[in-house]
Structure formats: C-alpha cells, structure tokens
Amino acid sequence: KGISNCVNDIGLVYENWSEFDSAAFYYKQSLDIERALKNQQGIATSLINIGNINYYRKAYYHALKNYMDALKIFMSLKDFEGMASAYNSIAVIYEQLNKYHKAIEYLQKAKNIYISKSNPRDLSRVLNNLGDIYNDRFKEYKKALLLYNKALDLKRQINSKSGVALVTCNLGSLYGKIGNFSKGLDLLR
C-alpha cells in the first residue's frame, strides 16, 4: 500500500510538470498494485489520475472510460466525494465532446453532492464550470453571470486568491461579450 501511495505521488509530480508519459507510467504502477491488493478506493483513485492524463493528451474517450469506471467503484463504496469528483471530470469530457447537456447533467449531480457535504471549494469549481458552459456554449449570459457570482462568493469565503482571479477573469470576459466593455476591462485589470 505504501509503495502504491509513493508511485502515485511521483505520478502527481510528473503530472504537475506536464510530463504525461512519466505520470502515466507511475499511475499505471499504482493501479496495478491497488488491483493486486483488491483495494477498490485505490483503484478508483488511480483510474481518476489516469483519466486526467488521457484528458491532457486529448484522448477523451479513454478518459471518459477511466472516469466512468472510477464512478462505478465510488458508487459501490458509497463514496459521495469520490462520486462528485468523477461527475465533475465526466462533465469536463462531455464538454470537450460538445455534449453540453450531458456535461450539465453531470455537473448538477456533482453540485448536489457538494452542497449536501458542505464542500465550498469543489462547489465553486463546479459552479464555475457550469458558468463556462452557459457563457461560452449557450450564450445564456444572465445564467452564467449568476453562476460566476456564486462561484466568486465561495472563492472569497475560502480565501482562494487564484480562484478569485480565475472567476473574475471569466466575469470580465462575460461583460465584454454582453457589450459592457468598461466593466469587463475593470475586472480584467
């Protein structure tokens, strides 16, 4: 178990360095160990990590399979936080595949779990992702504005400076799209 954790952590470092071949190698080692141990939680975590690498490589259908397989395990374990993480990851893939309604469906599932578990950090991430879809894909700017503002409030509550910057940038872009250039520029400065 310790070796699996170590190689998984090495994979995380390589992923942060964008060295995806090395990250995938270590995540696969971790998955193999977790399977040998029959540790379902570890298997699901490894599948999420491998899915992330497939996402970065734009192998979206492989990533989707990894996330769906992880979701099944999280569901069998009644691990709601794991389920929500998988739902969010699945939604990101569906957005990349231009299946926006499916993406929203999975983001709503993640949102509901994060609300019930009082998880403002991940809830803010989901709200921002929903805002992106309504802003960029559906051009429903009022809905996107509402979602971004909720996400921004949560980012401020948890004092996430990078999160505040990200959502503020999204808001600036949205105001530019609706023709309020001065407000957009103020937010982007």
Side-chain angles (χ1 to χ4, degrees):
K1 179 72 181 136
I3 293 170
S4 176
N5 289 338
C6 285
V7 295
N8 184 70
D9 289 347
I10 293 168
L12 289 169
V13 171
Y14 279 112
E15 181 179 338
N16 285 331
W17 290 343
S18 299
E19 294 185 24
F20 302 129
D21 290 342
S22 295
F25 172 80
Y26 286 103
Y27 288 152
K28 175 73 168 78
Q29 279 189 351
S30 179
L31 177 62
D32 290 344
I33 293 167
E34 297 295 356
R35 283 185 171 149
L37 295 172
K38 298 182 179 165
N39 178 9
Q40 295 300 302
Q41 187 75 36
I43 292 169
T45 299
S46 294
L47 287 169
I48 291 287
N49 290 338
I50 291 168
N52 293 342
I53 298 304
N54 282 322
Y55 165 76
Y56 294 131
R57 290 175 166 168
K58 299 187 185 321
Y60 298 130
Y61 289 102
H62 292 291
L64 185 60
K65 180 176 180 355
N66 297 136
Y67 295 146
M68 288 290 195
D69 289 347
L71 176 61
K72 289 176 193 169
I73 295 169
F74 288 133
M75 291 173 91
S76 74
L77 297 172
K78 295 185 179 15
D79 177 346
F80 293 101
E81 292 282 335
M83 289 165 54
S85 175
Y87 288 144
N88 189 47
S89 297
I90 290 165
V92 168
I93 299 301
Y94 278 129
E95 183 180 3
Q96 292 300 315
L97 297 173
N98 300 323
K99 296 181 179 184
Y100 307 119
H101 292 288
K102 292 290 281 183
I104 289 171
E105 174 187 332
Y106 280 92
L107 287 170
Q108 291 292 353
K109 290 178 181 187
K111 177 183 156 191
N112 292 338
I113 291 173
Y114 290 138
I115 288 171
S116 73
K117 298 295 181 185
S118 299
N119 183 336
R121 180 174 308 281
D122 290 326
L123 176 59
S124 67
R125 190 172 305 140
V126 167
L127 293 172
N128 187 65
N129 288 347
L130 281 165
D132 287 346
I133 292 172
Y134 284 106
N135 181 21
D136 298 330
R137 308 303 181 186
F138 293 145
K139 313 298 185 215
E140 292 185 33
Y141 301 124
K142 287 182 182 180
K143 194 163 199 164
L145 182 62
L146 179 68
L147 290 161
Y148 284 149
N149 279 323
K150 286 180 182 177
L152 184 59
D153 287 344
L154 290 169
K155 296 288 188 191
R156 286 181 174 144
Q157 285 174 26
I158 61 172
N159 197 28
S160 170
K161 292 179 180 169
S162 61
V164 168
L166 172 72
V167 178
T168 301
C169 181
N170 289 341
L171 281 165
S173 172
L174 184 146
Y175 277 108
K177 288 177 183 176
I178 61 176
N180 190 339
F181 301 115
S182 62
K183 175 94 173 175
L185 284 173
D186 284 345
L187 289 166
L188 292 171
R189 289 181 195 180

